[in-house]
Amino acid sequence: MGGDALRWSAYRSVPWKNGGGLTREVASGTVQAPMASAEITDGFDWRVSVADVDGEGSFSAFPGIDRVITLVEGEGMVLTVDGTPHAVGPLSPFAFSGDAATDCRLEAGAVRNVNVMTRRSRAAATVRIVTVAAARESEMACAPGETLLALAVTEGITVARPDGRETTLGRLDCVRHEGPAALTLRGDGMVAEMRITAAG
């Protein structure tokens, strides 16, 4: 299944769980997990969002949730997770537990992050930054049962679907695809590739 592009201008703004700011929801969903041991209480097995952080402080707690955070704007931040500091630089996905006590210190002003959350008992995520070069096409294959999201970190990316349809992405626009097929990326820039699978 391949839907139309998800546009930055249309993302829904929702308050942070702790009330400290706003996040823009890119997409969320559920997975067909054969051994579902946890009830879905927040309405999702996985969620991708973009959050602006302009002040220091504590992150919301998300028990039972795994998180991957990727800084897409700004110079950097330090996340202290259960007492251990971690320097998080631009375009370097950082995975941590939503159960952990997490505090944020900004290195050089406000930052913007892409957040991927997965309910540990039902879903898992991998995130990587893909460089798309003008001289050659890049292909992202999607496996059966997998959800693939390609979010443009820069302007200048076009995504071609298996049916031949092409979509030009603006900055922080996203294409979501499910099921066995491949997306072809053209242009000159960078994309955050996020893959969601059932846990286990």
Side-chain angles (χ1 to χ4, degrees), residues 53 55-57 59 76-80 85-86 103-109:
V53 181
E56 302 184 346
F59 277 21
M77 59 186 176
V78 174
L79 295 185
T80 299
H86 303 269
D103 292 300
C104 174
R105 186 175 82 246
L106 299 178
E107 292 288 82

Side-chain angles (χ1 to χ4, degrees), residues 96-121:
F96 63 106
S97 170
D99 302 88
T102 303
D103 292 300
C104 174
R105 186 175 82 246
L106 299 178
E107 292 288 82
V111 298
R112 176 171 282 168
N113 300 311
V114 174
N115 293 283
V116 182
M117 296 188 185
T118 49
R119 193 170 305 282
R120 193 171 303 127
S121 61

Side-chain angles (χ1 to χ4, degrees), residues 92-161:
S92 298
F94 175 71
F96 63 106
S97 170
D99 302 88
T102 303
D103 292 300
C104 174
R105 186 175 82 246
L106 299 178
E107 292 288 82
V111 298
R112 176 171 282 168
N113 300 311
V114 174
N115 293 283
V116 182
M117 296 188 185
T118 49
R119 193 170 305 282
R120 193 171 303 127
S121 61
R122 294 180 58 86
T126 60
V127 180
R128 70 183 184 118
I129 300 297
V130 176
T131 299
V132 181
R136 59 181 176 81
E137 296 180 344
S138 297
E139 191 171 274
M140 289 184 181
C142 187
E146 184 176 60
T147 298
L148 170 64
L149 297 106
L151 184 143
V153 177
T154 60
E155 302 279 352
I157 303 294
T158 297
V159 178
R161 296 178 180 81

Side-chain angles (χ1 to χ4, degrees), residues 7 9 18 66 83 129 140 162 171 197:
R7 300 293 182 184
S9 59
N18 66 8
D66 287 325
I129 300 297
M140 289 184 181
R171 196 163 191 280
T197 57

